[in-house]
Amino acid sequence: MAPVEAPAAQAVNVPLPMAAHFIVLNITPGDEAEDTVKAFFGNTAALIRSVERRIPEEQLSMVVGIGSPAWDRLFGAPRPAGLHEFQPLRGDKHFAPSTPGDLLLHIRAKSERMCFEMAMQCMNALGDAVVAVDEVHGFRYFEARAMIGFVDGVENPDGQDALASTLVGDEDPRFKEGSYVIVQKYLHDMKAWNATATDEQERVIGRSKQGNIEMAEDVKPTNSHSSLNVIEDVEGNQLSIVRANLPFANAARNEYGTYFIGYARDPAITEQMLINMFIGRPPGNYDRLLDFSTAVTGTLFFVPSATLLAALGDGNPFAPGAAPASGSVPTAPVAAPVSSGTLPIGSLKGQPQWSQAPSAGGPAPDASN
């Protein structure tokens, strides 16, 4: 028997690029479209290699994510334990919408030209099998700062901690080395933000603007952005995600924003952060940054390992009766994981956190109820 190849992750954890394309697509109706998308999955690695070899020093990478409805349509059961549609969040003042998305293409490189070439080749391969939902071109701003002038992604783990925070492990062995990603497009009211004094902006974020130094806990407001993004488990260990955010802008249209993209081993961690932001911790103590930033999209995707993505070109290798090629994915039988939908999150500085993450079948948390 040929040895079984260990799954290898997609390029979830890569250095901060100079440019990125965030492309969300829906699959058109019909069997032909489904076959085209599956063929794209099977050929993705080869397509990336073909473009990357043109200018290797540009460090091109691409991550492909699959939305919950698309997974059910293309592959059925079994499915990743944490995959579900993004649930909208409505607080007393701010709203995080849920928007459609079957596929995510997250393309990164040192230059816009490589992102464009990769995107064009992907769309040529997919053709009429997909329709565009949204496309955003992000760029690395000065000193890796967001459009609002503060350094972004400073709490990202690195090295082995980043791998542990983003990649599925033995808790869902069929989908090991996969990841979950939530994307949201935020538009900033720059006129209002720029009219706000720097010291007040720093209280909104919880950090100094120039030096990027976090405020002391006894000074930092509990509704600051950095305060509400700290998540702990029941034992007090901080839980992390990896953000790959980039700013985007169209000066002629007075459009300035941040494309939030957060990779996590468990999507409930990112969801808890968003609950804290939009509903508040405690409810009503929402993230003050939302007074200047409006979420206009919200979608959750599963990112299969590169090994599994290639195997999906022939359908779900774990489905009853499936016969994947030898060495393509783990073939040992495993028990289907059971997800309770409950995130074992403790409290932060004595402030209770939500312990129930949004579930695919349940109502979204609503602070107005």
Side-chain angles (χ1 to χ4, degrees):
M1 177 183 295
V4 173
E5 178 185 352
Q10 290 194 60
V12 169
N13 294 290
V14 299
L16 182 67
M18 295 301 294
H21 284 194
F22 309 97
I23 302 173
V24 177
L25 306 167
N26 275 346
I27 304 171
T28 56
D31 294 343
E32 184 176 351
E34 295 177 11
D35 291 341
T36 298
V37 171
K38 290 177 185 177
F40 172 76
F41 292 160
N43 194 47
T44 295
L47 192 60
I48 295 171
R49 287 194 301 270
S50 295
V51 177
E52 186 270 340
R53 284 171 179 164
R54 299 185 65 174
I55 314 178
E57 58 270 25
E58 294 273 1
Q59 298 181 1
L60 173 72
S61 68
M62 182 173 73
V63 170
V64 177
I66 306 171
S68 183
W71 183 279
D72 289 341
R73 175 181 169 185
L74 296 173
F75 306 118
R79 67 201 311 278
L83 181 58
H84 55 267
E85 294 187 61
F86 181 81
Q87 296 297 294
L89 298 170
R90 187 179 298 278
D92 288 339
K93 188 173 181 181
H94 299 292
F95 177 61
S98 175
T99 52
D102 288 334
L103 303 177
L104 170 70
L105 306 180
H106 180 199
I107 303 169
R108 289 178 274 190
K110 283 190 172 182
S111 72
E112 168 67 22
R113 64 183 176 181
M114 290 297 282
C115 292
F116 164 75
E117 181 67 19
M118 188 73 242
M120 182 174 65
Q121 296 299 335
C122 288
M123 297 311 297
N124 286 343
L126 288 164
D128 294 337
V130 297
V131 292
V133 175
D134 192 31
E135 179 173 352
V136 173
H137 298 178
F139 58 91
R140 185 175 178 180
Y141 207 27
F142 298 114
E143 300 176 318
R145 294 180 184 271
M147 195 60 61
I148 59 174
F150 285 78
V151 178
D152 200 2
V154 294
E155 296 297 333
N156 275 354
D158 52 23
Q160 290 299 314
D161 290 337
L163 299 179
S165 297
T166 56
L167 301 182
V168 175
D170 291 334
E171 71 274 12
D172 196 3
R174 289 190 180 102
F175 302 100
K176 195 170 182 178
E177 298 299 302
S179 187
Y180 295 91
V181 60
I182 289 176
V183 299
Q184 292 178 297
K185 180 166 69 175
Y186 286 86
L187 297 178
H188 305 314
D189 183 346
M190 294 304 298
K191 183 177 181 180
W193 180 255
N194 290 332
T196 302
T198 298
D199 60 344
E200 186 60 22
Q201 290 182 358
E202 292 175 335
R203 288 176 58 79
V204 171
I205 301 299
R207 290 179 174 275
S208 64
K209 190 171 187 178
Q210 182 63 34
N212 191 35
I213 304 300
E214 188 168 359
M215 291 180 175
E217 291 297 329
D218 59 346
V219 175
K220 182 168 55 176
T222 61
N223 63 353
S224 68
H225 184 64
S226 60
S227 290
L228 293 172
N229 275 264
V230 174
I231 305 295
E232 295 177 346
D233 64 17
V234 292
E235 297 177 348
N237 302 309
Q238 187 167 335
L239 303 174
S240 299
I241 67 172
V242 169
R243 298 167 179 82
N245 307 351
L246 280 179
F248 64 92
N250 187 312
R253 292 203 300 258
N254 194 33
E255 180 181 271
Y256 303 93
T258 296
Y259 201 90
F260 167 79
I261 177 165
Y263 289 98
R265 179 174 183 164
D266 182 351
I269 298 171
T270 314
E271 290 169 325
Q272 185 68 60
M273 291 180 179
L274 296 177
I275 290 170
N276 292 352
M277 288 173 59
F278 284 85
I279 294 180
R281 186 181 63 202
N285 190 56
Y286 66 85
D287 189 340
R288 276 205 61 209
L289 182 57
L290 297 178
D291 289 340
F292 305 91
S293 301
T294 301
V296 295
T297 69
T299 320
L300 186 155
F301 301 90
F302 174 67
V303 176
S305 70
T307 312
L308 178 55
L309 183 67
L312 292 173
D314 296 319
N316 191 340
F318 304 116
S326 178
S328 61
V329 289
T331 56
V334 293
V338 176
S339 177
S340 65
T342 300
L343 179 63
I345 293 175
S347 61
L348 174 67
K349 304 298 180 185
Q351 300 173 28
Q353 300 187 19
W354 291 75
S355 61
Q356 182 70 32
S359 60
D366 190 333
S368 64
N369 289 339

